[in-house]
CSV table of all heavy atoms in Angstrom, one decimal:
chain,number,residue,atom,x,y,z
A,1,MET,N,-60.3,-0.3,56.3
A,1,MET,CA,-60.1,0.4,57.5
A,1,MET,C,-60.7,1.9,57.5
A,1,MET,O,-60.6,2.5,56.5
A,1,MET,CB,-58.6,0.7,57.7
A,1,MET,CG,-58.2,1.3,58.9
A,1,MET,SD,-56.4,1.6,59.2
A,1,MET,CE,-56.1,3.1,58.4
A,2,THR,N,-61.3,2.2,58.5
A,2,THR,CA,-61.9,3.5,58.7
A,2,THR,C,-61.5,4.2,59.9
A,2,THR,O,-61.3,3.4,61.0
A,2,THR,CB,-63.5,3.3,58.9
A,2,THR,OG1,-64.0,2.7,57.6
A,2,THR,CG2,-64.2,4.7,59.0
A,3,SER,N,-61.1,5.5,59.8
A,3,SER,CA,-60.9,6.2,61.0
A,3,SER,C,-62.0,6.9,61.5
A,3,SER,O,-62.9,7.4,60.8
A,3,SER,CB,-59.9,7.3,60.6
A,3,SER,OG,-58.6,6.8,60.2
A,4,CYS,N,-62.2,7.0,62.8
A,4,CYS,CA,-63.4,7.6,63.4
A,4,CYS,C,-63.0,8.2,64.7
A,4,CYS,O,-61.8,8.1,65.3
A,4,CYS,CB,-64.5,6.5,63.7
A,4,CYS,SG,-64.1,5.1,64.8
A,5,ALA,N,-63.9,8.9,65.3
A,5,ALA,CA,-63.5,9.6,66.6
A,5,ALA,C,-64.5,8.9,67.7
A,5,ALA,O,-65.6,8.6,67.4
A,5,ALA,CB,-64.0,11.0,66.5
A,6,ILE,N,-64.0,8.8,68.9
A,6,ILE,CA,-64.7,8.2,70.0
A,6,ILE,C,-65.5,9.5,70.6
A,6,ILE,O,-64.9,10.4,71.0
A,6,ILE,CB,-63.7,7.6,71.1
A,6,ILE,CG1,-63.1,6.3,70.5
A,6,ILE,CG2,-64.5,7.2,72.4
A,6,ILE,CD1,-62.1,5.8,71.4
A,7,GLU,N,-66.8,9.3,70.7
A,7,GLU,CA,-67.7,10.3,71.1
A,7,GLU,C,-67.9,10.2,72.6
A,7,GLU,O,-67.9,11.1,73.4
A,7,GLU,CB,-69.0,10.3,70.4
A,7,GLU,CG,-69.9,11.5,70.8
A,7,GLU,CD,-71.1,11.4,69.9
A,7,GLU,OE1,-72.0,10.7,70.2
A,7,GLU,OE2,-71.1,12.4,69.0
A,8,SER,N,-68.1,8.8,73.2
A,8,SER,CA,-68.4,8.6,74.5
A,8,SER,C,-67.9,7.1,74.9
A,8,SER,O,-68.0,6.4,74.1
A,8,SER,CB,-69.7,8.9,75.0
A,8,SER,OG,-70.7,8.0,74.4
A,9,VAL,N,-67.7,6.9,76.1
A,9,VAL,CA,-67.4,5.6,76.7
A,9,VAL,C,-68.3,5.3,77.9
A,9,VAL,O,-68.3,6.1,78.9
A,9,VAL,CB,-65.9,5.4,77.0
A,9,VAL,CG1,-65.6,4.1,77.5
A,9,VAL,CG2,-65.0,5.9,75.9
A,10,GLN,N,-69.0,4.2,77.9
A,10,GLN,CA,-69.7,3.8,79.0
A,10,GLN,C,-69.5,2.3,79.3
A,10,GLN,O,-69.9,1.4,78.6
A,10,GLN,CB,-71.2,4.0,78.7
A,10,GLN,CG,-71.6,5.4,78.7
A,10,GLN,CD,-73.1,5.8,78.5
A,10,GLN,OE1,-73.9,4.8,78.2
A,10,GLN,NE2,-73.6,6.9,78.6
A,11,GLY,N,-68.7,2.1,80.3
A,11,GLY,CA,-68.1,0.7,80.5
A,11,GLY,C,-67.4,0.1,79.2
A,11,GLY,O,-66.4,0.8,79.0
A,12,ARG,N,-67.9,-1.0,78.7
A,12,ARG,CA,-67.4,-1.5,77.5
A,12,ARG,C,-68.0,-1.0,76.4
A,12,ARG,O,-67.7,-1.6,75.3
A,12,ARG,CB,-67.4,-3.0,77.6
A,12,ARG,CG,-66.5,-3.7,78.8
A,12,ARG,CD,-66.7,-5.1,78.9
A,12,ARG,NE,-66.4,-5.8,77.7
A,12,ARG,CZ,-66.6,-7.1,77.4
A,12,ARG,NH1,-67.2,-7.9,78.4
A,12,ARG,NH2,-66.5,-7.6,76.3
A,13,GLU,N,-68.8,-0.1,76.4
A,13,GLU,CA,-69.5,0.3,75.2
A,13,GLU,C,-69.0,1.8,74.6
A,13,GLU,O,-68.9,2.7,75.5
A,13,GLU,CB,-71.1,0.5,75.5
A,13,GLU,CG,-71.8,0.9,74.2
A,13,GLU,CD,-73.3,0.9,74.5
A,13,GLU,OE1,-73.9,-0.1,74.8
A,13,GLU,OE2,-74.0,2.0,74.3
A,14,LEU,N,-68.5,1.8,73.4
A,14,LEU,CA,-68.1,2.9,72.8
A,14,LEU,C,-69.1,3.6,71.9
A,14,LEU,O,-69.8,2.7,71.2
A,14,LEU,CB,-66.8,2.7,71.9
A,14,LEU,CG,-65.6,2.2,72.8
A,14,LEU,CD1,-64.4,1.9,71.9
A,14,LEU,CD2,-65.1,3.2,73.9
A,15,THR,N,-69.3,4.8,71.9
A,15,THR,CA,-70.0,5.6,70.8
A,15,THR,C,-69.1,6.3,69.8
A,15,THR,O,-68.2,7.0,70.5
A,15,THR,CB,-71.1,6.5,71.4
A,15,THR,OG1,-71.9,5.7,72.3
A,15,THR,CG2,-71.8,7.1,70.3
A,16,VAL,N,-69.1,5.9,68.6
A,16,VAL,CA,-68.1,6.6,67.7
A,16,VAL,C,-68.9,7.4,66.7
A,16,VAL,O,-70.0,7.2,66.4
A,16,VAL,CB,-67.2,5.7,67.1
A,16,VAL,CG1,-66.3,4.9,68.1
A,16,VAL,CG2,-68.0,4.6,66.2
A,17,VAL,N,-68.1,8.5,66.1
A,17,VAL,CA,-68.8,9.2,65.0
A,17,VAL,C,-67.7,9.2,63.9
A,17,VAL,O,-66.5,9.0,64.1
A,17,VAL,CB,-69.0,10.7,65.4
A,17,VAL,CG1,-70.0,10.9,66.4
A,17,VAL,CG2,-67.7,11.4,65.9
A,18,GLY,N,-68.2,9.1,62.7
A,18,GLY,CA,-67.4,8.9,61.4
A,18,GLY,C,-67.1,7.6,61.0
A,18,GLY,O,-66.2,7.4,60.1
A,19,LEU,N,-67.8,6.5,61.6
A,19,LEU,CA,-67.4,5.2,61.2
A,19,LEU,C,-68.3,4.9,59.9
A,19,LEU,O,-69.4,5.1,59.9
A,19,LEU,CB,-67.8,4.3,62.4
A,19,LEU,CG,-67.5,2.7,62.1
A,19,LEU,CD1,-65.9,2.6,62.0
A,19,LEU,CD2,-67.9,1.9,63.3
A,20,ASP,N,-67.6,4.3,59.1
A,20,ASP,CA,-68.3,3.9,57.8
A,20,ASP,C,-68.8,2.5,58.0
A,20,ASP,O,-68.3,1.6,57.6
A,20,ASP,CB,-67.3,4.0,56.5
A,20,ASP,CG,-67.9,3.8,55.3
A,20,ASP,OD1,-69.1,3.9,55.2
A,20,ASP,OD2,-67.2,3.5,54.3
A,21,ALA,N,-70.0,2.5,58.7
A,21,ALA,CA,-70.7,1.2,59.0
A,21,ALA,C,-72.1,1.5,59.5
A,21,ALA,O,-72.5,2.6,59.7
A,21,ALA,CB,-70.0,0.5,60.3
A,22,VAL,N,-73.0,0.5,59.4
A,22,VAL,CA,-74.3,0.6,59.8
A,22,VAL,C,-74.5,0.6,61.2
A,22,VAL,O,-73.7,0.1,62.0
A,22,VAL,CB,-75.1,-0.7,59.3
A,22,VAL,CG1,-76.5,-0.8,59.8
A,22,VAL,CG2,-75.0,-0.9,57.7
A,23,SER,N,-75.4,1.6,61.6
A,23,SER,CA,-75.5,1.8,63.1
A,23,SER,C,-75.8,0.5,63.9
A,23,SER,O,-76.6,-0.3,63.4
A,23,SER,CB,-76.7,2.8,63.4
A,23,SER,OG,-76.8,3.1,64.7
A,24,GLY,N,-74.9,0.3,65.0
A,24,GLY,CA,-75.2,-0.9,65.7
A,24,GLY,C,-74.2,-1.9,65.4
A,24,GLY,O,-74.2,-3.0,66.1
A,25,THR,N,-73.4,-1.8,64.3
A,25,THR,CA,-72.5,-2.9,63.9
A,25,THR,C,-71.3,-3.0,65.1
A,25,THR,O,-70.8,-2.0,65.4
A,25,THR,CB,-71.8,-2.5,62.5
A,25,THR,OG1,-72.8,-2.3,61.7
A,25,THR,CG2,-70.7,-3.5,62.2
A,26,PRO,N,-71.1,-4.2,65.5
A,26,PRO,CA,-70.1,-4.4,66.4
A,26,PRO,C,-68.7,-4.0,65.9
A,26,PRO,O,-68.5,-4.3,64.6
A,26,PRO,CB,-70.1,-6.0,66.8
A,26,PRO,CG,-71.4,-6.5,66.1
A,26,PRO,CD,-71.8,-5.4,65.1
A,27,VAL,N,-68.0,-3.4,66.7
A,27,VAL,CA,-66.5,-3.1,66.3
A,27,VAL,C,-65.6,-4.3,66.9
A,27,VAL,O,-65.6,-4.4,68.1
A,27,VAL,CB,-66.1,-1.6,66.8
A,27,VAL,CG1,-64.6,-1.4,66.5
A,27,VAL,CG2,-67.1,-0.6,66.1
A,28,ILE,N,-64.8,-4.8,66.1
A,28,ILE,CA,-64.1,-5.9,66.6
A,28,ILE,C,-62.7,-5.5,67.2
A,28,ILE,O,-62.1,-6.0,68.0
A,28,ILE,CB,-63.8,-7.0,65.5
A,28,ILE,CG1,-65.1,-7.4,64.9
A,28,ILE,CG2,-63.0,-8.1,65.9
A,28,ILE,CD1,-66.0,-8.1,65.9
A,29,ASP,N,-62.1,-4.5,66.4
A,29,ASP,CA,-60.7,-4.1,66.8
A,29,ASP,C,-60.5,-2.6,66.8
A,29,ASP,O,-61.1,-1.9,65.8
A,29,ASP,CB,-59.7,-4.7,65.9
A,29,ASP,CG,-58.2,-4.4,66.2
A,29,ASP,OD1,-58.0,-4.2,67.5
A,29,ASP,OD2,-57.5,-4.3,65.3
A,30,LEU,N,-59.9,-2.0,67.7
A,30,LEU,CA,-59.6,-0.5,67.7
A,30,LEU,C,-58.0,-0.4,67.8
A,30,LEU,O,-57.3,-1.2,68.4
A,30,LEU,CB,-60.1,0.3,68.9
A,30,LEU,CG,-61.7,0.3,69.0
A,30,LEU,CD1,-62.1,0.9,70.3
A,30,LEU,CD2,-62.2,1.1,67.9
A,31,ALA,N,-57.5,0.6,67.0
A,31,ALA,CA,-56.1,0.9,67.0
A,31,ALA,C,-56.0,2.5,66.9
A,31,ALA,O,-56.7,3.0,66.2
A,31,ALA,CB,-55.5,0.2,65.8
A,32,PRO,N,-55.0,3.0,67.5
A,32,PRO,CA,-54.8,4.4,67.4
A,32,PRO,C,-54.3,4.8,65.9
A,32,PRO,O,-53.6,3.9,65.3
A,32,PRO,CB,-53.6,4.7,68.4
A,32,PRO,CG,-52.9,3.4,68.5
A,32,PRO,CD,-54.0,2.2,68.4
A,33,VAL,N,-54.7,6.0,65.7
A,33,VAL,CA,-54.1,6.4,64.2
A,33,VAL,C,-53.0,7.5,64.5
A,33,VAL,O,-53.2,8.3,65.3
A,33,VAL,CB,-55.3,7.1,63.6
A,33,VAL,CG1,-54.7,7.7,62.2
A,33,VAL,CG2,-56.5,6.2,63.2
A,34,MET,N,-51.9,7.3,63.9
A,34,MET,CA,-50.7,8.1,64.0
A,34,MET,C,-50.6,8.8,62.5
A,34,MET,O,-50.7,8.0,61.6
A,34,MET,CB,-49.6,7.4,64.5
A,34,MET,CG,-49.7,6.8,65.9
A,34,MET,SD,-48.4,5.8,66.4
A,34,MET,CE,-49.3,4.7,67.4
A,35,LYS,N,-50.3,10.0,62.6
A,35,LYS,CA,-50.2,10.8,61.3
A,35,LYS,C,-49.1,10.1,60.4
A,35,LYS,O,-49.3,10.1,59.2
A,35,LYS,CB,-49.9,12.2,61.5
A,35,LYS,CG,-48.6,12.5,62.1
A,35,LYS,CD,-48.5,14.0,62.2
A,35,LYS,CE,-47.2,14.4,62.9
A,35,LYS,NZ,-46.9,15.8,62.9
A,36,GLU,N,-48.1,9.5,60.8
A,36,GLU,CA,-47.1,8.7,60.1
A,36,GLU,C,-47.5,7.6,59.5
A,36,GLU,O,-47.0,7.2,58.4
A,36,GLU,CB,-45.9,8.3,61.1
A,36,GLU,CG,-45.1,9.5,61.6
A,36,GLU,CD,-45.7,10.1,62.9
A,36,GLU,OE1,-46.7,9.7,63.4
A,36,GLU,OE2,-45.3,11.2,63.3
A,37,PHE,N,-48.6,7.1,59.9
A,37,PHE,CA,-49.3,5.9,59.1
A,37,PHE,C,-50.4,6.2,58.1
A,37,PHE,O,-50.9,5.4,57.4
A,37,PHE,CB,-49.8,4.9,60.2
A,37,PHE,CG,-48.7,4.3,61.1
A,37,PHE,CD1,-48.9,4.2,62.4
A,37,PHE,CD2,-47.5,3.9,60.7
A,37,PHE,CE1,-48.1,3.6,63.3
A,37,PHE,CE2,-46.6,3.4,61.4
A,37,PHE,CZ,-46.8,3.2,62.7
A,38,LEU,N,-50.8,7.4,58.1
A,38,LEU,CA,-51.8,8.0,57.1
A,38,LEU,C,-51.4,8.0,55.8
A,38,LEU,O,-50.0,8.2,55.5
A,38,LEU,CB,-52.4,9.2,57.6
A,38,LEU,CG,-53.1,9.3,58.9
A,38,LEU,CD1,-53.5,10.8,59.3
A,38,LEU,CD2,-54.4,8.5,58.9
A,39,PRO,N,-52.1,7.7,54.7
A,39,PRO,CA,-51.6,7.8,53.4
A,39,PRO,C,-51.3,9.1,53.1
A,39,PRO,O,-51.7,10.2,53.5
A,39,PRO,CB,-52.9,7.4,52.6
A,39,PRO,CG,-54.1,7.5,53.5
A,39,PRO,CD,-53.6,7.4,54.9
A,40,THR,N,-50.2,9.3,52.2
A,40,THR,CA,-49.8,10.5,51.7
A,40,THR,C,-50.0,10.6,50.2
A,40,THR,O,-50.1,9.6,49.5
A,40,THR,CB,-48.3,10.8,52.0
A,40,THR,OG1,-47.6,9.7,51.4
A,40,THR,CG2,-48.0,10.8,53.5
A,41,GLY,N,-50.0,11.8,49.6
A,41,GLY,CA,-50.1,12.0,48.2
A,41,GLY,C,-51.3,11.5,47.5
A,41,GLY,O,-51.4,11.0,46.4
A,42,VAL,N,-52.4,11.4,48.4
A,42,VAL,CA,-53.8,10.9,47.8
A,42,VAL,C,-54.1,12.1,46.9
A,42,VAL,O,-54.2,13.2,47.1
A,42,VAL,CB,-54.7,10.7,48.9
A,42,VAL,CG1,-56.1,10.4,48.3
A,42,VAL,CG2,-54.3,9.7,49.8
A,43,LYS,N,-54.6,11.6,45.5
A,43,LYS,CA,-55.1,12.4,44.5
A,43,LYS,C,-56.5,11.9,44.2
A,43,LYS,O,-56.9,10.8,44.0
A,43,LYS,CB,-54.2,12.4,43.2
A,43,LYS,CG,-52.8,12.9,43.7
A,43,LYS,CD,-51.9,13.0,42.4
A,43,LYS,CE,-50.6,13.5,42.9
A,43,LYS,NZ,-49.7,13.5,41.6
A,44,GLN,N,-57.4,12.9,44.0
A,44,GLN,CA,-58.7,12.6,43.5
A,44,GLN,C,-59.1,13.7,42.6
A,44,GLN,O,-58.7,14.9,42.8
A,44,GLN,CB,-59.7,12.4,44.7
A,44,GLN,CG,-60.0,13.6,45.5
A,44,GLN,CD,-60.9,13.4,46.6
A,44,GLN,OE1,-61.1,12.3,47.1
A,44,GLN,NE2,-61.4,14.4,47.2
A,45,PRO,N,-60.2,13.5,41.8
A,45,PRO,CA,-60.7,14.7,41.0
A,45,PRO,C,-61.4,15.7,41.8
A,45,PRO,O,-61.9,15.5,42.9
A,45,PRO,CB,-61.9,14.0,40.0
A,45,PRO,CG,-61.5,12.5,40.1
A,45,PRO,CD,-60.7,12.2,41.5
A,46,ASN,N,-61.2,17.0,41.4
A,46,ASN,CA,-61.8,18.1,42.0
A,46,ASN,C,-63.3,18.0,42.3
A,46,ASN,O,-63.7,18.5,43.4
A,46,ASN,CB,-61.6,19.4,41.3
A,46,ASN,CG,-60.1,19.8,41.3
A,46,ASN,OD1,-59.4,19.4,42.1
A,46,ASN,ND2,-59.7,20.5,40.3
A,47,TRP,N,-64.1,17.4,41.5
A,47,TRP,CA,-65.6,17.3,41.7
A,47,TRP,C,-65.9,16.4,42.8
A,47,TRP,O,-67.0,16.6,43.4
A,47,TRP,CB,-66.1,16.7,40.4
A,47,TRP,CG,-65.8,15.3,40.0
A,47,TRP,CD1,-64.9,15.1,39.2
A,47,TRP,CD2,-66.5,14.2,40.4
A,47,TRP,NE1,-64.8,13.7,39.0
A,47,TRP,CE2,-65.7,13.1,39.9
A,47,TRP,CE3,-67.5,13.9,41.5
A,47,TRP,CZ2,-66.1,11.8,40.0
A,47,TRP,CZ3,-67.8,12.5,41.5
A,47,TRP,CH2,-67.1,11.6,40.9
A,48,VAL,N,-65.0,15.6,43.3
A,48,VAL,CA,-65.3,14.6,44.4
A,48,VAL,C,-65.5,15.3,45.7
A,48,VAL,O,-66.4,14.9,46.5
A,48,VAL,CB,-64.3,13.5,44.5
A,48,VAL,CG1,-64.4,12.7,45.7
A,48,VAL,CG2,-64.2,12.6,43.2
A,49,SER,N,-64.9,16.4,45.9
A,49,SER,CA,-65.0,17.1,47.2
A,49,SER,C,-66.3,17.6,47.6
A,49,SER,O,-66.8,17.5,48.7
A,49,SER,CB,-64.0,18.3,47.2
A,49,SER,OG,-62.7,17.9,47.2
A,50,HIS,N,-67.1,18.1,46.6
A,50,HIS,CA,-68.4,18.6,47.0
A,50,HIS,C,-69.3,17.5,47.5
A,50,HIS,O,-70.0,17.5,48.5
A,50,HIS,CB,-68.9,19.3,45.9
A,50,HIS,CG,-70.4,19.8,46.1
A,50,HIS,ND1,-70.7,20.8,47.0
A,50,HIS,CD2,-71.6,19.5,45.5
A,50,HIS,CE1,-72.0,21.0,47.1
A,50,HIS,NE2,-72.6,20.2,46.2
A,51,PRO,N,-69.6,16.4,46.6
A,51,PRO,CA,-70.4,15.4,47.3
A,51,PRO,C,-69.9,14.7,48.5
A,51,PRO,O,-70.8,14.1,49.2
A,51,PRO,CB,-70.7,14.3,46.0
A,51,PRO,CG,-69.5,14.8,45.2
A,51,PRO,CD,-69.1,16.1,45.3
A,52,MET,N,-68.7,14.6,48.7
A,52,MET,CA,-68.1,13.9,49.9
A,52,MET,C,-68.3,14.9,51.2
A,52,MET,O,-67.9,14.4,52.2
A,52,MET,CB,-66.6,13.4,49.6
A,52,MET,CG,-66.7,12.3,48.6
A,52,MET,SD,-67.7,10.9,48.9
A,52,MET,CE,-66.8,10.3,50.4
A,53,SER,N,-68.5,16.1,50.9
A,53,SER,CA,-68.3,17.1,52.1
A,53,SER,C,-69.3,16.8,53.2
A,53,SER,O,-69.1,17.0,54.4
A,53,SER,CB,-68.5,18.6,51.6
A,53,SER,OG,-69.8,18.7,51.1
A,54,ALA,N,-70.4,16.1,52.8
A,54,ALA,CA,-71.4,15.7,53.8
A,54,ALA,C,-71.5,14.3,54.1
A,54,ALA,O,-72.5,13.8,54.8
A,54,ALA,CB,-72.7,16.4,53.5
A,55,TYR,N,-70.5,13.4,53.7
A,55,TYR,CA,-70.5,12.0,53.8
A,55,TYR,C,-70.8,11.4,55.1
A,55,TYR,O,-71.5,10.7,55.4
A,55,TYR,CB,-69.4,11.4,53.1
A,55,TYR,CG,-69.4,10.0,53.0
A,55,TYR,CD1,-70.2,9.3,52.2
A,55,TYR,CD2,-68.6,9.2,53.9
A,55,TYR,CE1,-70.3,7.8,52.0
A,55,TYR,CE2,-68.7,7.8,53.8
A,55,TYR,CZ,-69.4,7.2,52.8
A,55,TYR,OH,-69.4,5.8,52.9
A,56,PHE,N,-69.9,12.1,56.1
A,56,PHE,CA,-70.0,11.6,57.5
A,56,PHE,C,-71.1,12.4,58.4
A,56,PHE,O,-71.1,12.2,59.6
A,56,PHE,CB,-68.8,11.5,58.1
A,56,PHE,CG,-67.9,10.5,57.6
A,56,PHE,CD1,-66.8,10.7,56.8
A,56,PHE,CD2,-68.1,9.1,57.9
A,56,PHE,CE1,-66.0,9.7,56.2
A,56,PHE,CE2,-67.4,8.2,57.4
A,56,PHE,CZ,-66.3,8.3,56.6
A,57,GLN,N,-71.8,13.3,57.8
A,57,GLN,CA,-72.8,14.1,58.6
A,57,GLN,C,-74.0,13.3,58.9
A,57,GLN,O,-74.5,12.4,58.1
A,57,GLN,CB,-73.4,15.3,57.8
A,57,GLN,CG,-72.2,16.3,57.2
A,57,GLN,CD,-71.4,16.9,58.5
A,57,GLN,OE1,-72.1,17.2,59.5
A,57,GLN,NE2,-70.2,16.9,58.4
A,58,PRO,N,-74.5,13.4,60.1
A,58,PRO,CA,-75.6,12.5,60.5
A,58,PRO,C,-77.0,13.0,59.7
A,58,PRO,O,-77.1,13.9,59.2
A,58,PRO,CB,-75.8,12.9,62.0
A,58,PRO,CG,-75.0,14.1,62.3
A,58,PRO,CD,-74.1,14.2,61.1
């Protein structure tokens, strides 16, 4: 599961940002994200933050 943001809607076509997929990949299902369903207590090593800071940048 990947969380992303809807950038634009044109008819039945959505443009999203932050999706962990190859450009042009069809999206089969969309569901709203509610903070109550997000993971809590996620722990990772400190060094991970720097290389991941630009992960979703175009």
